Amino acid sequence: VFAGTVKEDVLEKAFGRQRDAVGPCKLEGRGDGDGARRATFALTCDKARGKPWEMSIGLDDSGKIREVFFRPKERAGRCF
């Protein structure tokens, strides 16, 4: 599922930081994307105090995951 360029330890740390910040999260709904390279999914997280989060996934040319980002939904579209 993951591209060869994805480092498992980096990805594991990113998921761990997300879990530490807002607790376990669940996907809400089907998600949105361009059907080829990007997808964004709404998340409901245990410690997020009712504020929605989202997870964005970027795919490489072969359709494997190359990046994963977590962010509060109100920050969608911003770089930070």
Side-chain angles (χ1 to χ4, degrees), residues 2-7 60 65-66:
F2 294 100
T5 57
V6 172
K7 296 180 181 176
D60 68 8
I65 297 173
R66 65 176 167 79

Side-chain angles (χ1 to χ4, degrees), residues 17-64:
R17 283 191 305 272
Q18 174 69 12
R19 196 172 32 256
D20 290 346
V22 293
C25 299
K26 294 179 185 175
L27 290 175
E28 294 292 325
R30 294 181 12 174
D32 187 29
D34 64 7
R37 303 292 300 256
R38 292 179 321 209
T40 301
F41 300 90
L43 301 173
T44 299
C45 303
D46 288 354
K47 298 190 292 185
R49 294 173 290 199
K51 294 185 178 181
W53 277 68
E54 63 184 23
M55 174 178 66
S56 294
I57 298 173
L59 306 176
D60 68 8
D61 291 335
S62 66
K64 293 188 176 191

